Coordinates of all heavy atoms in Angstrom, one line a residue:
M1 N 100.4 109.1 59.3 CA 99.5 108.5 60.2 C 100.2 108.4 61.6 O 101.4 107.9 61.6 CB 99.1 107.2 59.7 CG 98.2 106.4 60.6 SD 97.8 104.8 60.0 CE 96.1 104.8 60.2
T2 N 99.6 108.8 62.7 CA 100.2 108.6 64.0 C 99.5 107.6 64.8 O 98.3 107.3 64.6 CB 100.0 110.0 64.8 OG1 98.6 110.3 64.9 CG2 100.8 111.1 64.1
T3 N 100.3 106.9 65.6 CA 99.7 105.8 66.4 C 99.1 106.5 67.7 O 99.4 107.7 68.0 CB 100.8 104.8 66.9 OG1 101.7 105.5 67.6 CG2 101.5 104.2 65.6
Q4 N 98.4 105.7 68.4 CA 97.7 106.2 69.6 C 98.8 106.7 70.7 O 98.7 107.7 71.3 CB 96.8 105.2 70.2 CG 96.0 105.8 71.4 CD 95.0 104.8 71.9 OE1 94.9 103.7 71.4 NE2 94.2 105.2 72.9
A5 N 99.9 105.9 70.8 CA 100.9 106.2 71.7 C 101.6 107.5 71.3 O 101.9 108.4 72.2 CB 102.0 105.1 71.7
E6 N 101.8 107.7 70.1 CA 102.4 109.0 69.6 C 101.4 110.2 70.0 O 101.9 111.2 70.4 CB 102.7 109.0 68.1 CG 103.9 108.1 67.8 CD 104.0 107.9 66.3 OE1 103.0 108.2 65.6 OE2 105.1 107.6 65.8
H7 N 100.2 109.9 69.7 CA 99.2 110.9 70.0 C 99.2 111.3 71.5 O 99.1 112.5 71.8 CB 97.8 110.4 69.5 CG 96.7 111.5 69.7 ND1 96.7 112.6 68.9 CD2 95.6 111.6 70.5 CE1 95.7 113.3 69.2 NE2 95.0 112.7 70.2
L8 N 99.3 110.3 72.4 CA 99.3 110.5 73.8 C 100.5 111.3 74.2 O 100.5 112.2 75.0 CB 99.2 109.2 74.6 CG 97.8 108.6 74.6 CD1 97.9 107.2 75.3 CD2 96.8 109.4 75.2
N9 N 101.7 111.0 73.6 CA 102.9 111.7 73.9 C 102.8 113.2 73.5 O 103.4 114.0 74.2 CB 104.1 111.0 73.2 CG 104.6 109.8 73.9 OD1 104.3 109.6 75.1 ND2 105.2 108.9 73.2
E10 N 102.1 113.4 72.4 CA 102.0 114.8 72.0 C 101.2 115.6 72.9 O 101.4 116.8 73.1 CB 101.4 114.9 70.5 CG 102.2 114.4 69.4 CD 101.5 114.3 68.2 OE1 100.4 114.8 68.0 OE2 102.1 113.7 67.2
E11 N 100.2 115.0 73.6 CA 99.4 115.7 74.5 C 99.9 116.0 75.9 O 99.2 116.5 76.7 CB 98.0 115.0 74.6 CG 97.2 115.1 73.3 CD 95.9 114.4 73.4 OE1 95.5 114.0 74.6 OE2 95.2 114.3 72.4
R12 N 101.1 115.4 76.2 CA 101.6 115.5 77.5 C 101.9 117.0 77.8 O 102.3 117.7 77.0 CB 102.9 114.6 77.7 CG 102.5 113.2 77.6 CD 103.8 112.3 77.6 NE 104.3 112.2 79.0 CZ 104.0 111.4 79.9 NH1 103.0 110.5 79.6 NH2 104.5 111.3 81.1
R13 N 101.6 117.3 79.1 CA 101.9 118.7 79.5 C 102.8 118.6 80.8 O 102.8 117.7 81.5 CB 100.6 119.4 79.9 CG 99.6 119.6 78.7 CD 98.3 120.2 79.1 NE 98.5 121.4 79.8 CZ 97.6 122.0 80.6 NH1 96.4 121.4 80.7 NH2 97.7 123.2 81.1
R14 N 103.4 119.8 81.1 CA 104.3 119.8 82.2 C 103.6 120.3 83.4 O 102.8 121.3 83.3 CB 105.5 120.7 81.9 CG 106.5 120.1 81.0 CD 107.8 120.9 81.0 NE 108.7 120.2 80.1 CZ 109.5 119.2 80.5 NH1 109.4 118.7 81.7 NH2 110.3 118.7 79.6
C15 N 103.9 119.8 84.6 CA 103.4 120.3 85.9 C 104.2 121.6 86.2 O 105.4 121.6 86.0 CB 103.7 119.2 87.0 SG 103.4 119.8 88.6
W16 N 103.5 122.6 86.6 CA 104.1 123.9 86.8 C 104.9 123.9 88.1 O 105.6 124.8 88.4 CB 103.1 125.0 86.8 CG 102.7 125.4 85.5 CD1 102.3 124.7 84.4 CD2 102.7 126.8 84.9 NE1 102.0 125.4 83.3 CE2 102.3 126.7 83.6 CE3 103.0 128.0 85.5 CZ2 102.2 127.9 82.8 CZ3 102.9 129.1 84.7 CH2 102.5 129.0 83.4
C17 N 104.8 122.8 88.9 CA 105.5 122.8 90.2 C 106.8 121.9 90.0 O 107.9 122.4 90.3 CB 104.6 122.2 91.2 SG 105.3 122.1 92.9
C18 N 106.7 120.6 89.7 CA 107.8 119.7 89.6 C 108.4 119.7 88.2 O 109.5 119.0 88.0 CB 107.4 118.3 90.1 SG 106.3 117.5 89.0
D19 N 107.8 120.2 87.2 CA 108.2 120.3 85.8 C 108.3 118.9 85.2 O 108.9 118.7 84.1 CB 109.6 121.0 85.7 CG 109.8 121.6 84.4 OD1 108.8 122.0 83.8 OD2 111.0 121.6 84.0
E20 N 107.6 117.9 85.7 CA 107.5 116.5 85.1 C 106.4 116.6 84.0 O 105.5 117.4 84.2 CB 107.3 115.5 86.1 CG 108.4 115.3 87.1 CD 109.6 114.7 86.5 OE1 109.5 113.8 85.6 OE2 110.7 115.1 87.0
E21 N 106.5 115.7 83.0 CA 105.4 115.6 82.0 C 104.4 114.6 82.4 O 104.7 113.6 82.9 CB 106.0 115.3 80.6 CG 106.8 116.4 80.1 CD 107.2 116.1 78.6 OE1 107.0 114.9 78.2 OE2 107.7 116.9 78.0
F22 N 103.1 114.9 82.1 CA 102.0 114.1 82.5 C 100.9 114.2 81.3 O 100.8 115.2 80.7 CB 101.3 114.5 83.8 CG 102.2 114.4 85.0 CD1 103.0 115.4 85.4 CD2 102.2 113.2 85.6 CE1 103.8 115.3 86.5 CE2 103.0 113.0 86.8 CZ 103.8 114.1 87.2
P23 N 100.1 113.1 81.2 CA 99.0 113.2 80.3 C 98.0 114.2 81.0 O 97.9 114.3 82.2 CB 98.4 111.8 80.3 CG 99.4 110.9 80.8 CD 100.3 111.8 81.7
P24 N 97.2 115.0 80.2 CA 96.3 116.0 80.8 C 95.4 115.4 81.8 O 95.0 116.1 82.7 CB 95.5 116.4 79.5 CG 96.4 116.2 78.4 CD 97.2 115.0 78.7
A25 N 95.0 114.1 81.7 CA 94.1 113.6 82.7 C 94.7 113.5 84.1 O 93.9 113.3 85.1 CB 93.6 112.2 82.2
L26 N 96.0 113.5 84.2 CA 96.7 113.4 85.5 C 97.1 114.8 86.0 O 98.0 114.8 86.9 CB 97.9 112.5 85.4 CG 97.5 111.0 84.9 CD1 98.8 110.2 84.8 CD2 96.5 110.4 85.8
L27 N 96.5 115.8 85.5 CA 96.9 117.2 85.9 C 95.6 117.9 86.4 O 94.5 117.6 85.8 CB 97.6 118.0 84.8 CG 98.9 117.5 84.4 CD1 99.3 118.1 83.1 CD2 100.0 117.7 85.5
V28 N 95.7 118.8 87.3 CA 94.6 119.7 87.7 C 95.0 121.1 87.3 O 96.2 121.5 87.5 CB 94.2 119.6 89.2 CG1 93.6 118.3 89.4 CG2 95.4 119.8 90.1
S29 N 94.1 121.9 86.8 CA 94.4 123.3 86.3 C 93.7 124.3 87.3 O 92.7 124.0 87.9 CB 93.8 123.5 84.9 OG 94.5 122.6 84.0
L30 N 94.3 125.5 87.3 CA 93.7 126.6 88.1 C 92.5 127.1 87.4 O 92.5 127.1 86.1 CB 94.8 127.7 88.3 CG 96.1 127.3 89.0 CD1 96.9 128.5 89.2 CD2 95.8 126.6 90.3
G31 N 91.5 127.5 88.1 CA 90.3 127.9 87.5 C 90.4 129.1 86.6 O 90.0 129.1 85.4
A32 N 91.0 130.2 87.0 CA 91.1 131.4 86.2 C 92.3 131.4 85.3 O 92.4 132.2 84.3 CB 91.3 132.6 87.1
H33 N 93.2 130.4 85.5 CA 94.4 130.3 84.6 C 94.5 128.8 84.2 O 95.4 128.1 84.8 CB 95.7 130.8 85.3 CG 95.6 132.2 85.6 ND1 96.0 133.1 84.6 CD2 95.3 132.9 86.7 CE1 95.8 134.3 85.1 NE2 95.4 134.2 86.4
P34 N 93.7 128.3 83.3 CA 93.8 126.9 82.9 C 95.2 126.5 82.3 O 95.4 125.3 82.3 CB 92.7 126.7 81.9 CG 92.3 128.1 81.4 CD 92.7 129.0 82.5
E35 N 96.0 127.4 81.9 CA 97.3 127.1 81.4 C 98.2 126.6 82.5 O 99.2 126.0 82.2 CB 97.9 128.2 80.6 CG 98.4 129.4 81.5 CD 97.2 130.3 81.9 OE1 96.1 130.1 81.7 OE2 97.6 131.4 82.5
V36 N 97.9 126.9 83.7 CA 98.7 126.5 84.9 C 98.1 125.2 85.4 O 97.0 125.1 85.8 CB 98.7 127.5 86.0 CG1 99.5 127.1 87.2 CG2 99.2 128.8 85.5
A37 N 98.9 124.1 85.3 CA 98.4 122.8 85.7 C 99.4 122.2 86.7 O 100.7 122.4 86.6 CB 98.3 121.9 84.6
L38 N 98.9 121.4 87.7 CA 99.8 120.7 88.7 C 99.4 119.2 88.6 O 98.3 118.8 88.4 CB 99.5 121.2 90.1 CG 99.7 122.7 90.4 CD1 99.3 123.0 91.8 CD2 101.2 123.0 90.2
C39 N 100.5 118.4 88.8 CA 100.2 116.9 89.0 C 99.5 116.7 90.3 O 99.5 117.6 91.2 CB 101.5 116.2 88.8 SG 102.6 116.3 90.2
F40 N 99.0 115.5 90.5 CA 98.2 115.2 91.7 C 99.1 115.3 93.0 O 98.7 115.9 94.0 CB 97.6 113.9 91.7 CG 96.6 113.7 90.6 CD1 96.3 112.4 90.1 CD2 95.9 114.8 90.1 CE1 95.3 112.3 89.1 CE2 94.9 114.6 89.1 CZ 94.7 113.4 88.6
D41 N 100.4 114.8 92.9 CA 101.3 114.9 94.1 C 101.6 116.4 94.4 O 101.6 116.7 95.6 CB 102.6 114.2 93.8 CG 102.5 112.7 93.8 OD1 101.4 112.2 94.4 OD2 103.3 112.0 93.3
C42 N 101.8 117.2 93.4 CA 102.1 118.6 93.7 C 100.9 119.3 94.2 O 101.0 120.2 95.1 CB 102.7 119.3 92.5 SG 104.4 118.8 92.1
A43 N 99.7 119.0 93.7 CA 98.5 119.6 94.2 C 98.2 119.3 95.6 O 97.8 120.1 96.4 CB 97.3 119.1 93.3
R44 N 98.5 118.0 96.0 CA 98.4 117.6 97.4 C 99.4 118.3 98.3 O 99.0 118.8 99.3 CB 98.7 116.1 97.5 CG 98.4 115.5 98.9 CD 98.6 113.9 98.9 NE 97.8 113.2 97.9 CZ 98.3 112.6 96.9 NH1 99.6 112.5 96.7 NH2 97.6 112.0 96.0
W45 N 100.6 118.5 97.8 CA 101.6 119.3 98.5 C 101.2 120.7 98.7 O 101.3 121.2 99.8 CB 103.0 119.2 97.8 CG 104.1 119.9 98.4 CD1 104.8 119.5 99.5 CD2 104.7 121.1 98.0 NE1 105.7 120.4 99.8 CE2 105.7 121.4 98.8 CE3 104.4 121.9 96.9 CZ2 106.5 122.6 98.7 CZ3 105.2 123.1 96.7 CH2 106.2 123.4 97.6
I46 N 100.7 121.3 97.7 CA 100.2 122.7 97.8 C 99.1 122.8 98.8 O 99.0 123.8 99.6 CB 99.8 123.3 96.4 CG1 101.0 123.4 95.5 CG2 99.0 124.6 96.5 CD1 102.0 124.5 95.9
G47 N 98.2 121.8 98.7 CA 97.1 121.8 99.7 C 97.5 121.8 101.1 O 97.0 122.5 102.0
R48 N 98.6 120.9 101.4 CA 99.1 120.8 102.7 C 99.8 122.2 103.1 O 99.7 122.6 104.3 CB 100.2 119.7 102.8 CG 99.5 118.4 102.8 CD 100.6 117.3 102.9 NE 99.9 116.0 103.0 CZ 100.4 114.9 102.6 NH1 101.7 114.8 102.1 NH2 99.8 113.8 102.7
R49 N 100.5 122.8 102.2 CA 101.1 124.1 102.5 C 100.0 125.1 102.8 O 100.2 125.9 103.8 CB 101.9 124.6 101.3 CG 103.3 123.8 101.2 CD 104.1 124.4 100.2 NE 104.5 125.8 100.5 CZ 105.1 126.7 99.7 NH1 105.4 126.3 98.5 NH2 105.3 127.9 100.1
A50 N 99.0 125.1 102.1 CA 97.9 126.1 102.3 C 97.3 125.8 103.8 O 97.0 126.8 104.5 CB 96.8 125.9 101.3
R51 N 97.1 124.6 104.1 CA 96.5 124.3 105.5 C 97.5 124.7 106.6 O 97.2 125.2 107.6 CB 96.2 122.8 105.6 CG 94.8 122.4 105.1 CD 94.4 121.0 105.5 NE 95.3 120.0 104.9 CZ 95.2 119.5 103.7 NH1 94.3 120.0 102.8 NH2 96.0 118.6 103.3
Q52 N 98.9 124.4 106.3 CA 99.8 124.9 107.3 C 99.8 126.4 107.5 O 99.9 126.8 108.7 CB 101.3 124.4 106.9 CG 101.5 123.0 107.0 CD 102.8 122.5 106.4 OE1 103.5 123.3 105.7 NE2 103.2 121.3 106.5
Q53 N 99.7 127.1 106.5 CA 99.6 128.6 106.6 C 98.3 129.0 107.3 O 98.3 129.9 108.1 CB 99.7 129.2 105.2 CG 101.2 129.2 104.8 CD 101.4 130.0 103.5 OE1 101.6 129.5 102.4 NE2 101.2 131.3 103.6
A54 N 97.2 128.3 107.0 CA 95.9 128.6 107.6 C 96.0 128.3 109.1 O 95.4 129.0 109.9 CB 94.8 127.8 106.9
D55 N 96.7 127.2 109.4 CA 96.8 126.8 110.8 C 97.5 127.9 111.7 O 97.3 128.0 112.9 CB 97.5 125.5 111.0 CG 96.7 124.3 110.5 OD1 95.4 124.5 110.4 OD2 97.2 123.2 110.3
L56 N 98.4 128.6 111.0 CA 99.1 129.7 111.7 C 98.2 130.8 112.2 O 98.4 131.4 113.3 CB 100.2 130.3 110.9 CG 101.4 129.4 110.5 CD1 102.3 130.1 109.5 CD2 102.1 128.9 111.7
V57 N 97.1 131.0 111.5 CA 96.2 132.1 111.9 C 94.9 131.5 112.6 O 94.2 132.3 113.2 CB 95.7 133.0 110.7 CG1 96.9 133.7 110.1 CG2 95.1 132.1 109.6
R58 N 94.8 130.2 112.5 CA 93.7 129.5 113.2 C 94.2 128.3 114.1 O 93.9 127.2 113.8 CB 92.7 128.9 112.2 CG 91.9 130.0 111.4 CD 90.9 129.3 110.5 NE 91.7 128.2 109.7 CZ 91.2 127.6 108.7 NH1 90.0 127.9 108.2 NH2 92.0 126.7 108.1
P59 N 94.9 128.7 115.2 CA 95.4 127.6 116.0 C 94.3 126.8 116.7 O 93.3 127.4 117.0 CB 96.4 128.3 116.9 CG 95.8 129.7 117.0 CD 95.2 130.0 115.7
G60 N 94.5 125.6 117.0 CA 93.5 124.8 117.6 C 94.0 123.3 117.7 O 95.1 123.0 117.2
L61 N 93.1 122.4 118.1 CA 93.5 121.0 118.2 C 93.8 120.4 116.9 O 94.8 119.7 116.7 CB 92.3 120.2 118.9 CG 92.5 118.7 119.0 CD1 93.7 118.4 119.9 CD2 91.3 118.1 119.6
R62 N 93.0 120.7 115.9 CA 93.2 120.2 114.5 C 94.6 120.7 114.0 O 95.3 119.9 113.4 CB 92.1 120.5 113.5 CG 90.8 119.8 113.8 CD 89.8 120.3 112.8 NE 88.7 119.4 112.8 CZ 87.7 119.5 112.0 NH1 87.6 120.5 111.1 NH2 86.7 118.6 112.1
A63 N 94.9 121.9 114.2 CA 96.1 122.5 113.8 C 97.3 121.8 114.5 O 98.3 121.4 113.8 CB 96.2 124.0 114.0
R64 N 97.2 121.5 115.8 CA 98.2 120.8 116.5 C 98.4 119.4 115.9 O 99.6 118.9 115.8 CB 97.9 120.8 118.0 CG 98.2 122.1 118.6 CD 98.3 122.0 120.2 NE 97.2 121.3 120.7 CZ 96.1 121.9 121.3 NH1 96.2 123.2 121.4 NH2 95.1 121.3 121.9
V65 N 97.3 118.7 115.6 CA 97.4 117.3 115.1 C 98.1 117.4 113.7 O 99.0 116.6 113.5 CB 96.0 116.7 115.0 CG1 96.1 115.4 114.2 CG2 95.4 116.4 116.4
R66 N 97.7 118.4 112.9 CA 98.4 118.4 111.6 C 99.9 118.8 111.7 O 100.7 118.3 110.9 CB 97.7 119.5 110.7 CG 96.4 119.0 110.1 CD 95.9 119.9 109.0 NE 95.3 121.1 109.6 CZ 94.0 121.4 109.9 NH1 93.2 120.4 109.6 NH2 93.6 122.5 110.4
R67 N 100.2 119.6 112.7 CA 101.7 119.9 112.9 C 102.4 118.7 113.3 O 103.5 118.5 112.9 CB 101.8 121.0 113.9 CG 101.7 122.4 113.3 CD 102.3 123.5 114.2 NE 101.7 123.6 115.5 CZ 100.6 124.3 115.7 NH1 100.0 125.0 114.7 NH2 100.0 124.3 116.9
S68 N 101.8 117.8 114.2 CA 102.4 116.6 114.6 C 102.6 115.7 113.4 O 103.7 115.1 113.3 CB 101.6 115.9 115.7 OG 101.5 116.7 116.9
V69 N 101.6 115.5 112.6 CA 101.7 114.7 111.4 C 102.8 115.2 110.5 O 103.6 114.4 110.0 CB 100.3 114.6 110.7 CG1 100.5 113.9 109.3 CG2 99.4 113.8 111.5
A70 N 102.9 116.5 110.3 CA 103.9 117.1 109.4 C 105.3 116.9 110.0 O 106.2 116.6 109.3 CB 103.6 118.6 109.3
G71 N 105.4 116.9 111.4 CA 106.7 116.6 112.0 C 107.1 115.2 111.8 O 108.3 114.9 111.5
L72 N 106.2 114.2 111.9 CA 106.4 112.8 111.6 C 106.8 112.7 110.2 O 107.8 111.9 109.9 CB 105.2 112.0 112.0 CG 104.9 111.7 113.5 CD1 103.6 111.1 113.6 CD2 106.0 110.9 114.1
R73 N 106.1 113.3 109.3 CA 106.4 113.2 107.9 C 107.8 113.7 107.6 O 108.6 113.0 106.9 CB 105.4 114.0 107.1 CG 105.6 113.9 105.5 CD 104.6 114.8 104.8 NE 103.3 114.2 105.0 CZ 102.3 114.9 105.6 NH1 102.4 116.1 106.0 NH2 101.1 114.4 105.7
A74 N 108.2 114.8 108.2 CA 109.6 115.3 108.0 C 110.6 114.4 108.5 O 111.7 114.2 107.9 CB 109.7 116.7 108.6
A75 N 110.3 113.8 109.7 CA 111.3 112.9 110.3 C 111.5 111.6 109.3 O 112.6 111.2 109.2 CB 110.8 112.4 111.7
V76 N 110.4 111.1 108.8 CA 110.5 109.9 107.9 C 111.3 110.3 106.7 O 112.2 109.6 106.2 CB 109.1 109.5 107.5 CG1 109.1 108.5 106.3 CG2 108.4 108.8 108.7
I77 N 111.0 111.5 106.1 CA 111.7 111.9 104.9 C 113.2 112.2 105.2 O 114.0 111.8 104.4 CB 111.0 113.2 104.3 CG1 109.7 112.8 103.7 CG2 111.9 113.8 103.2 CD1 108.8 113.9 103.3
S78 N 113.5 112.8 106.3 CA 114.9 113.1 106.6 C 115.7 111.8 106.8 O 116.9 111.8 106.5 CB 115.0 113.9 107.8 OG 114.7 113.2 109.0
R79 N 115.1 110.7 107.2 CA 115.8 109.5 107.4 C 115.8 108.6 106.1 O 116.3 107.6 106.1 CB 115.1 108.7 108.5 CG 115.4 109.3 109.9 CD 114.6 108.7 111.0 NE 114.9 109.2 112.3 CZ 114.5 110.4 112.8 NH1 113.8 111.2 112.0 NH2 114.9 110.8 114.0
G80 N 115.0 109.1 105.1 CA 114.9 108.3 103.8 C 114.1 107.1 103.9 O 114.1 106.2 103.0
W81 N 113.3 106.9 104.9 CA 112.4 105.7 105.1 C 111.4 105.6 104.0 O 111.0 104.5 103.6 CB 111.7 105.7 106.4 CG 112.7 105.6 107.6 CD1 114.0 105.2 107.6 CD2 112.4 105.8 109.0 NE1 114.5 105.2 108.8 CE2 113.5 105.5 109.7 CE3 111.2 106.1 109.6 CZ2 113.6 105.6 111.1 CZ3 111.2 106.2 111.0 CH2 112.4 106.0 111.7
H82 N 111.0 106.8 103.4 CA 110.0 106.8 102.3 C 110.5 106.2 101.0 O 109.8 105.8 100.2 CB 109.4 108.2 102.1 CG 110.5 109.1 101.6 ND1 111.6 109.4 102.3 CD2 110.6 109.7 100.4 CE1 112.4 110.3 101.6 NE2 111.8 110.5 100.5
D83 N 111.9 106.0 100.9 CA 112.5 105.4 99.7 C 112.8 104.0 99.9 O 113.3 103.4 98.9 CB 113.7 106.2 99.4 CG 113.4 107.6 98.8 OD1 112.4 107.7 98.1 OD2 114.3 108.5 99.0
L84 N 112.6 103.4 101.1 CA 112.8 102.0 101.3 C 111.9 101.1 100.4 O 110.8 101.5 100.2 CB 112.7 101.6 102.8 CG 113.7 102.2 103.7 CD1 113.3 101.9 105.2 CD2 115.1 101.8 103.4
P85 N 112.4 100.0 100.0 CA 111.6 99.2 99.0 C 110.2 98.8 99.4 O 109.2 99.1 98.8 CB 112.4 97.9 98.8 CG 113.8 98.3 99.2 CD 113.7 99.4 100.2
V86 N 110.0 98.2 100.6 CA 108.7 97.7 101.0 C 108.1 98.7 102.0 O 106.9 99.1 101.8 CB 108.8 96.3 101.6 CG1 107.5 95.9 102.2 CG2 109.4 95.3 100.6
V87 N 108.8 99.1 103.0 CA 108.3 100.0 104.0 C 108.0 101.3 103.4 O 106.9 101.9 103.7 CB 109.3 100.1 105.2 CG1 108.8 101.2 106.2 CG2 109.5 98.8 105.9
G88 N 108.8 101.8 102.5 CA 108.6 103.1 101.8 C 107.2 103.1 101.1 O 106.5 104.1 101.2
R89 N 106.9 102.0 100.4 CA 105.6 102.0 99.7 C 104.5 102.1 100.7 O 103.5 102.8 100.4 CB 105.5 100.7 98.9 CG 104.2 100.6 98.1 CD 104.0 99.3 97.4 NE 105.0 99.1 96.4 CZ 105.2 98.0 95.7 NH1 104.4 97.0 95.9 NH2 106.1 97.9 94.7
I90 N 104.6 101.4 101.8 CA 103.5 101.4 102.8 C 103.4 102.8 103.4 O 102.3 103.4 103.6 CB 103.8 100.4 103.9 CG1 103.7 99.0 103.3 CG2 102.8 100.6 105.1 CD1 104.2 97.9 104.2
L91 N 104.6 103.5 103.7 CA 104.5 104.8 104.3 C 104.0 105.8 103.3 O 103.2 106.7 103.7 CB 106.0 105.2 104.7 CG 106.6 104.5 105.9 CD1 108.0 104.8 106.0 CD2 105.8 104.8 107.2
R92 N 104.3 105.7 102.1 CA 103.8 106.6 101.0 C 102.3 106.5 100.9 O 101.5 107.4 100.7 CB 104.5 106.5 99.7 CG 105.9 107.0 99.7 CD 106.5 107.0 98.3 NE 106.5 105.8 97.6 CZ 107.4 104.9 97.7 NH1 108.5 105.0 98.4 NH2 107.3 103.7 97.0
R93 N 101.8 105.2 101.0 CA 100.3 104.9 100.9 C 99.6 105.6 102.1 O 98.6 106.2 101.9 CB 100.1 103.4 100.8 CG 98.6 103.1 100.6 CD 98.3 101.7 100.4 NE 98.8 101.4 99.0 CZ 98.8 100.2 98.5 NH1 98.4 99.2 99.2 NH2 99.2 100.0 97.2
I94 N 100.2 105.4 103.3 CA 99.6 106.0 104.4 C 99.6 107.5 104.4 O 98.6 108.2 104.7 CB 100.4 105.6 105.7 CG1 100.2 104.1 106.0 CG2 100.0 106.3 106.9 CD1 101.1 103.5 107.1
D95 N 100.7 108.1 103.8 CA 100.8 109.5 103.7 C 99.8 110.1 102.9 O 99.3 111.3 103.1 CB 102.2 109.9 103.2 CG 102.4 111.4 103.2 OD1 102.2 112.0 104.3 OD2 102.7 111.9 102.1
R96 N 99.3 109.4 101.8 CA 98.3 110.0 100.9 C 97.0 110.2 101.7 O 96.1 111.0 101.2 CB 98.1 109.0 99.7 CG 99.2 109.1 98.8 CD 98.9 108.3 97.5 NE 100.1 108.0 96.8 CZ 100.7 106.8 96.8 NH1 100.0 105.8 97.3 NH2 101.8 106.6 96.2
R97 N 96.8 109.5 102.8 CA 95.5 109.6 103.5 C 95.6 110.5 104.7 O 94.6 110.7 105.4 CB 95.1 108.2 103.9 CG 94.6 107.4 102.7 CD 94.5 105.9 103.0 NE 94.0 105.2 101.8 CZ 94.7 104.9 100.8 NH1 96.0 105.3 100.7 NH2 94.3 104.2 99.8
L98 N 96.8 111.0 105.0 CA 97.0 111.9 106.2 C 96.7 113.3 105.8 O 96.9 113.7 104.6 CB 98.4 111.7 106.7 CG 98.8 110.4 107.3 CD1 100.3 110.3 107.7 CD2 97.9 110.1 108.5
P99 N 96.4 114.2 106.8 CA 96.2 115.6 106.5 C 97.4 116.3 106.1 O 98.5 115.9 106.5 CB 95.6 116.1 107.8 CG 96.0 115.2 108.9 CD 96.2 113.9 108.2
Ligands
ZN101 ZN1 104.2 118.0 89.9

């Protein structure tokens, strides 16, 4: 007999990007290849990369704003501010809502 916790552990799958394990409900799969799944953070990161590449071929005001936000994000990460105990949590929460 297996407990519910053991059952949940058996169903964990790996993210194909960061290789961390997650319950299936916390992963998104590709349409034509459901065996390929990404965690929400990696899916957000891939989405940003796709927009950055699209901005290269479609320059404009929105692209410039997204590049500015990406520059700020890179500056925060290079300084390690996103890992600070209180400020880091706030910065990560803000980042989830940025383009
Ligand atoms: Zn991941």
Side-chain angles (χ1 to χ4, degrees):
M1 177 183 228
T2 59
T3 65
Q4 185 174 4
E6 289 171 339
H7 186 66
L8 288 175
N9 282 337
E10 290 174 8
E11 291 183 5
R12 293 176 75 87
R13 295 176 57 198
R14 288 196 176 273
C15 170
W16 280 52
C17 184
C18 67
D19 206 31
E20 296 290 324
E21 287 189 353
F22 296 91
L26 300 180
L27 295 168
V28 290
S29 298
L30 300 184
H33 295 278
E35 72 278 10
V36 178
L38 300 175
C39 70
F40 295 156
D41 286 342
C42 290
R44 187 177 305 114
W45 180 73
I46 291 290
R48 284 181 177 153
R49 284 188 61 192
R51 275 192 299 278
Q52 287 172 352
Q53 285 188 248
D55 287 347
L56 293 175
V57 295
R58 291 181 311 193
L61 178 61
R62 288 179 166 185
R64 284 197 305 262
V65 170
R66 282 192 287 266
R67 273 197 301 275
S68 297
V69 170
L72 287 171
R73 181 181 296 115
V76 166
I77 291 171
S78 71
R79 288 166 176 81
W81 293 347
H82 64 296
D83 287 330
L84 294 174
V86 176
V87 175
R89 180 186 293 174
I90 294 168
L91 290 172
R92 289 191 303 273
R93 183 173 288 175
I94 291 170
D95 184 53
R96 287 189 201 108
R97 288 161 179 77
L98 292 175

